[in-house]
Amino acid sequence: MPLVTLLTYFGTADAYVAEMKAAMLGIDPTIRFVDITHDLSLGDVSSATYLLARSWQRFSKGTVHLVVGALLAFVGSNGTVEIAVRDGSAALALDVRAGVPVTLTPAPSEPDHHR
């Protein structure tokens, strides 16, 4: 069962997140989803990078981390996809500006605040 994490700017006021998940489930009905956030600001590279760095290592190898729109600096798309692979996991950033790298890097050492 593939695991896909989602970081998007879509928000939750409409059905767009559900439509995106339905499209992926149409390809593979065994996919499991973890919604990290759908409240990124369009073009907010630093928040997307921070959230991805904080979370990706907590998931099992083979997890796909999908980042949509966070790296987009303008409305529209140049149709590029940036991909980074590390330790058996992959990050895909869709609709990014050409030349903006996506990386899977460890988060800076800081205490855990979860219970």
Side-chain angles (χ1 to χ4, degrees):
M1 281 187 281
L3 179 62
V4 176
T5 69
L6 302 170
L7 291 94
T8 78
Y9 71 97
F10 297 149
T12 56
D14 56 26
Y16 198 73
V17 173
E19 293 171 25
M20 179 180 64
K21 290 178 180 181
M24 287 188 269
L25 288 168
I27 296 167
D28 185 346
T30 67
I31 293 174
R32 295 174 297 142
F33 296 100
V34 174
D35 300 291
I36 295 174
T37 187
H38 296 294
D39 294 319
L40 291 172
S41 294
L42 189 61
D44 188 352
V45 176
S46 61
S47 290
T49 301
Y50 173 77
L51 290 171
L52 188 59
R54 286 277 305 158
S55 60
W56 79 269
Q57 290 180 306
R58 298 179 188 273
F59 292 93
S60 60
K61 288 184 179 184
T63 299
V64 174
H65 305 279
L66 183 59
V67 182
V68 181
L71 304 180
L72 194 63
F74 51 88
V75 176
S77 170
N78 63 13
T80 63
V81 177
E82 296 286 336
I83 301 172
V85 177
R86 181 174 176 167
D87 296 334
S89 294
L92 289 85
L94 306 179
D95 296 332
V96 300
R97 293 173 293 170
V100 177
V102 175
T103 60
L104 289 175
T105 57
S109 295
E110 53 187 89
D112 277 332
H113 296 289
H114 68 282
R115 296 172 198 215

